[in-house]
Amino acid sequence: MQLTDLTLLELAAKLASRETSSVEATQACLARIAQVDGKVKAFLRLDEHGALAAAEASDARRKAGNPLGPLDGVPVAVKDIFLTEGVETTCASRILQGFVPPYDATAVRLLKQAGLPIIGKLNQDEFAMGSSNESSAFGPCHNPWDLTRTPGGSSGGSAAALAAREVFGTLGTDTGGSIRQPAALTNTVGLKPTYGRVSRYGVISYASSLDAPGPMARTVGDVAALLQVLARHDPLDSTSAPADVPDYLADLEHGVAGLKLGVPREYFVEGMDPEVEASVRAALKEYERLGATLVDLSLPHTKYALATYYLIAPAEASSNLARYDGVRYGHRARDAKGLKDMYGLTRDQGFGPEVKRRIMLGTYALSAGYYDAYYLRAQKVRTLIREDFTKAFAQVDAVVTPTSPVPAFKLGEKVNDPLSMYLMDVCTLPCNLAGLPGLSLPCGFTKAGLPIGLQLMGRPFDEAKLLRIARAFEREHDYVRRQAPI
């Protein structure tokens, strides 16, 4: 077994026992990246010097006998949406090309304080707008299970880097499913925490009321360990919740006996791939065998979730992206004839087609005469969607659904069909509208060898129970041990 084949917690154990060093683990990751990333294209840029310096510092702390965190020395990487001091951060957009932040995002700072070397910045859809990683200004990422297919989006690079065994853990962001959907398409585990559980400070905004940074890894335990590092109240983020943080690994092995799991009929949508539905149904039977009780549910306003999301998210994006005007940072058009012309040319040259599409949709929804008819009404429907979940959680401990209605699709297959692309998020985005925690874990493979994901959604700030439920299923199967053929 290669060092990069270990899980995050397995490597942490080897570091603790001094069977290997952080420098060796970081060098192994860099060697693996050099070997395969020309095909996968998960990384937009590396910080070899910074990562090796952090690894050397970790090894020195261990040698000196200093108190260490449980993940000290484990190499990770972060989506290019997180600000990283001294390392270019572009959000996969040409409008931010050359932007070097003067400070770290809180999530990045917490990783560094815990001693985790950060190897580099990962590919994504531009400004996190997309479901396939194809809107990246620097080219699409490829799925290690089939290089002709998407790894999902927008955190496609974060998922692909794990599936290709380039790093041991990653950070992504989830606005409408952008952690969970790529996890499902790459046989990895992704957790969207409750809104407010992980700080958004220093995370470049797409839709401020929906964005949720979170951990991705190869196993449920790895994700729990990363969440333990990230879950902190942050006074720098006004939406950060001062909620108690449990020990996420403490109850991980307690199983599902006696728990009630809701199965909402609205999530088994028309057009769902039959192999996906079969795998999810088999997982539900497995939970019954393990002692859980399945409860049929209806979440009646789910049918409005897609339309609601694609009014609220573009509206907030239109507002957030107004700051990119060529004046303060990033790209500036050089051939402009005046200030107004510079604004227009800078944004035209800097933003890609998908970002422009969503800005225009959002600007229209917020414009005079349409705000009440579209944006305000969408917010009212959002409240109804949240109330559906509140009623459901009065009956059940978690809700179980498919993560993605289809397995990984071919690159280029949906790029000219925005509506078809938007439907990829149909199972994941209600969780964001309600601000709930959601997790995707592997639950099978298609006959063609493509991964299938199972989604769990829980009560606000009840990530510990979601992780416990996910681990109960993971423990019964070898899915997470299967490796992409790259």
Side-chain angles (χ1 to χ4, degrees):
M1 177 184 281
Q2 301 293 317
L3 200 55
T4 52
D5 293 338
L6 297 172
T7 69
L8 181 144
L9 287 177
E10 287 172 344
L11 175 63
K14 286 187 178 293
L15 290 170
S17 65
R18 302 197 186 185
E19 292 179 58
T20 190
S21 70
S22 181
V23 167
E24 289 172 331
T26 302
Q27 288 173 335
C29 288
L30 291 169
R32 179 67 179 167
I33 292 166
Q35 179 188 356
V36 302
D37 204 61
K39 301 174 186 176
V40 178
K41 304 187 186 304
F43 280 85
L44 291 181
R45 66 198 59 85
L46 297 174
D47 181 19
E48 294 185 40
H49 176 76
L52 286 169
E56 289 169 0
S58 175
D59 289 338
R61 287 191 295 273
R62 199 174 299 277
K63 185 176 180 181
N66 294 338
L68 300 177
L71 302 186
D72 202 309
V74 177
V76 295
V78 302
K79 185 176 179 178
D80 198 35
I81 202 168
F82 291 87
L83 298 187
T84 43
E85 183 180 358
V87 179
E88 185 183 20
T89 301
T90 65
C91 225
S93 177
R94 298 205 180 279
I95 207 161
L96 275 175
Q97 205 164 3
F99 171 59
V100 178
Y103 62 93
D104 285 323
T106 294
V108 172
R109 176 176 56 80
L110 290 172
L111 290 177
K112 289 181 177 180
Q113 288 176 350
L116 286 77
I118 298 175
I119 283 183
K121 309 300 290 293
L122 295 160
N123 206 347
Q124 61 169 87
D125 281 300
E126 184 180 6
F127 281 99
M129 298 182 192
S131 304
S132 67
N133 215 136
E134 290 174 282
S135 74
S136 170
F138 308 111
C141 187
H142 298 255
N143 193 324
W145 291 91
D146 179 344
L147 293 171
T148 68
R149 296 178 184 269
T150 174
S154 63
S155 304
S158 300
L162 293 167
R165 305 183 299 285
E166 295 177 316
V167 287
F168 298 92
T170 62
L171 294 190
T173 60
D174 194 310
T175 305
S178 289
I179 285 176
R180 291 160 289 150
Q181 185 248 23
L185 271 51
T186 58
N187 197 49
T188 56
V189 181
L191 173 67
K192 173 222 170 290
T194 308
Y195 184 81
R197 172 64 91 185
V198 176
S199 174
R200 293 189 304 112
Y201 181 76
V203 179
I204 296 172
S205 296
Y206 162 19
S208 299
S209 73
L210 300 166
D211 297 340
M216 304 179 71
R218 294 178 214 158
T219 71
V220 174
D222 290 356
V223 163
L226 282 172
L227 182 62
Q228 201 72 58
V229 174
L230 300 170
R232 298 282 187 279
H233 176 246
D234 182 10
L236 297 175
D237 174 9
S238 63
T239 62
S240 177
D244 292 337
V245 179
D247 182 341
Y248 292 113
L249 290 168
D251 295 333
L252 206 58
E253 304 296 339
H254 285 190
V256 294
L259 297 183
K260 293 182 179 180
L261 304 180
V263 184
R265 61 185 70 102
E266 290 84 0
Y267 279 74
F268 293 87
V269 295
E270 184 180 347
M272 179 173 289
D273 184 282
E275 290 185 274
V276 170
E277 181 165 357
S279 285
V280 172
R281 297 285 187 192
L284 291 169
K285 289 182 180 178
E286 183 80 4
Y287 273 123
E288 271 193 311
R289 185 185 70 79
L290 294 171
T293 301
L294 300 185
V295 179
D296 288 330
L297 287 179
S298 176
L299 299 171
H301 294 96
T302 297
K303 61 185 176 182
Y304 304 116
L306 193 69
T308 301
Y309 176 87
Y310 278 103
L311 280 168
I312 293 172
E316 295 184 6
S318 170
S319 176
N320 279 323
L321 271 62
R323 70 192 69 177
Y324 303 107
D325 53 13
V327 175
R328 287 157 288 194
Y329 39 72
H331 174 72
R332 175 183 294 181
R334 299 299 175 193
D335 48 353
K337 296 180 173 62
L339 184 62
K340 186 176 180 180
D341 195 36
M342 186 200 72
Y343 290 159
L345 283 174
T346 294
R347 291 167 68 81
D348 182 47
Q349 294 168 7
F351 290 137
E354 183 59 34
V355 174
K356 291 176 181 175
R357 181 183 293 118
R358 298 195 192 199
I359 289 173
M360 288 190 289
L361 282 170
T363 303
Y364 181 81
L366 293 175
S367 60
Y370 295 102
Y371 178 90
D372 289 350
Y374 293 114
Y375 183 73
L376 188 59
R377 183 168 294 183
Q379 291 287 15
K380 291 178 179 178
V381 176
R382 180 182 191 172
T383 300
L384 297 176
I385 292 168
R386 187 184 297 115
E387 288 174 352
D388 283 349
F389 279 106
T390 301
K391 292 174 184 175
F393 288 125
Q395 306 174 55
V396 300
D397 296 287
V399 171
V400 187
T401 75
T403 307
S404 169
V406 298
F409 51 91
K410 294 276 188 180
L411 289 165
E413 182 180 324
K414 301 179 186 292
V415 73
N416 293 317
D417 186 357
L419 291 179
S420 177
M421 187 76 81
Y422 295 169
L423 285 168
M424 287 298 299
D425 298 330
V426 67
C427 294
T428 53
L429 54 83
C431 184
N432 298 79
L433 290 168
L436 303 174
L439 181 149
S440 180
L441 74 153
C443 75
F445 289 84
T446 67
K447 291 176 182 176
L450 298 173
I452 297 170
L454 181 73
Q455 179 178 220
L456 308 173
M457 292 180 281
R459 298 185 182 100
F461 301 102
D462 203 6
E463 288 86 359
K465 188 171 287 181
L466 280 192
L467 291 161
R468 169 186 163 190
I469 295 168
R471 175 59 185 152
F473 181 83
E474 180 186 75
R475 199 166 48 222
E476 300 296 311
H477 299 277
D478 70 343
Y479 299 135
V480 297
R481 288 293 177 187
R482 299 191 194 181
Q483 294 186 352
I486 187 170

